[in-house]
Amino acid sequence: MRCPDTLAIKNRLKESKDKLLHKSIEWILQDPQYLDWRNGDDVCLLWIKGGAGKGKTMMSIGLIERLSLLQDESTVVTYFFCQNADYELNTIEAILKGLILQLVNQQKELKISLRSRWDTTNERFKEEITSWRALWDIFLEMLEHCKCKRVYVVVDALDECQDDG
């Protein structure tokens, strides 16, 4: 299951774009809607929207880094950065693979969701897991088995994904 290294992508974006100024995101960290999202017990969506070049990616990087500071055994932070010009970074399959890899790297016991689909005799997956539907099922299964109280999923530039129907 080939997938991009999301940490390397985050670091590359952080270096290639304008420098992240941590003080520039302080305002959102105090915003009541953000605090409700971050601390809420319900599954909910925080959607940051704005025009091109308004700093959404840098804000996402800053929020990921702040959420990661809160990370302990009860919290997982996963993320993905979509990029229109890169096929490996602009499909739903790529997003799901990246999120799955991060979950596995942070919660080793979640590998069971992949191992249960692996055919050790033929050294391949028993089923086709490259479709977004199969990957989505794996991701949901991992979230269901995750022992963490809180899982943050950040997807930047989702509008840059290819819509293959």
Side-chain angles (χ1 to χ4, degrees), residues 28-89:
I28 196 170
L29 301 174
Q30 308 306 317
D31 185 272
Q33 287 179 310
Y34 171 78
L35 293 171
D36 287 347
W37 172 81
R38 190 191 77 192
N39 300 324
D41 289 329
D42 294 333
V43 173
C44 59
L45 172 70
L46 174 69
W47 182 7
I48 300 171
K49 62 182 180 174
K54 301 295 184 197
K56 298 178 301 296
T57 295
M58 294 312 288
M59 185 177 289
S60 293
I61 291 171
L63 291 176
I64 289 164
E65 291 179 354
R66 290 298 178 102
L67 291 169
S68 295
L69 291 175
L70 304 172
Q71 197 167 346
D72 58 20
E73 62 278 346
S74 68
T75 305
V76 171
V77 179
T78 64
Y79 54 89
F80 192 87
F81 293 91
C82 300
Q83 304 216 329
N84 187 347
D86 187 339
Y87 180 74
E88 292 201 353
L89 301 175

Side-chain angles (χ1 to χ4, degrees), residues 115-153:
R115 283 192 187 127
S116 66
R117 292 168 170 83
W118 185 254
D119 179 349
T120 54
T121 306
N122 296 313
E123 294 190 7
R124 61 182 172 88
F125 284 102
K126 297 173 190 171
E127 59 190 85
E128 181 60 41
I129 65 159
T130 57
S131 76
W132 74 266
R133 290 180 197 274
L135 292 164
W136 180 249
D137 289 343
I138 293 168
F139 184 64
L140 290 178
E141 182 180 313
M142 288 178 152
L143 290 176
E144 186 178 309
H145 290 102
C146 186
K147 300 211 182 328
C148 293
K149 177 182 171 192
R150 193 172 305 278
V151 178
Y152 295 106
V153 178

